[in-house]
Amino acid sequence: MATAATAPVYGPFNTFIGTSVVGGRMPNFAAMGRQAGHIVNGLLDGTAPASLRLPEIMPNTLNVDWRQVRRWGIDENAIPGDAVVHFKAPTFIEEHRNGVIIAAAVFLFQTGLIAAPG
């Protein structure tokens, strides 16, 4: 349905990312697992089951498919900073961070050697 749509389509689960949906606020299964782990740890530590409370809000995360953001011309500044962006190619510096830092340090060192009085 999303591939034939004439408007952006949003999905309820992160398993929809990569199937032509733009994204959406989706359940965060890792956070749910952590919450369940805390409950289980409490039970194993001897906490009374009646004193344990389930979380009031299911943890969710904004997930976005970068390819669909480009397809629909959505302003990238409209995407919140805490969103999980899928399928976005890293920039040169993101991909080669250590090499860029080393090259800049070598360049600055050589500049210092050349500029140093003699």
Side-chain angles (χ1 to χ4, degrees), residues 105-115:
V106 167
F107 177 77
L108 290 173
F109 179 69
Q110 287 178 342
T111 300
L113 289 176
I114 293 169

Side-chain angles (χ1 to χ4, degrees), residues 27-52:
N28 184 330
F29 296 115
M32 283 189 257
R34 280 191 295 279
Q35 287 179 343
H38 290 299
I39 292 170
V40 170
N41 283 338
L43 290 171
L44 293 174
D45 287 341
T47 304
S51 68
L52 295 173

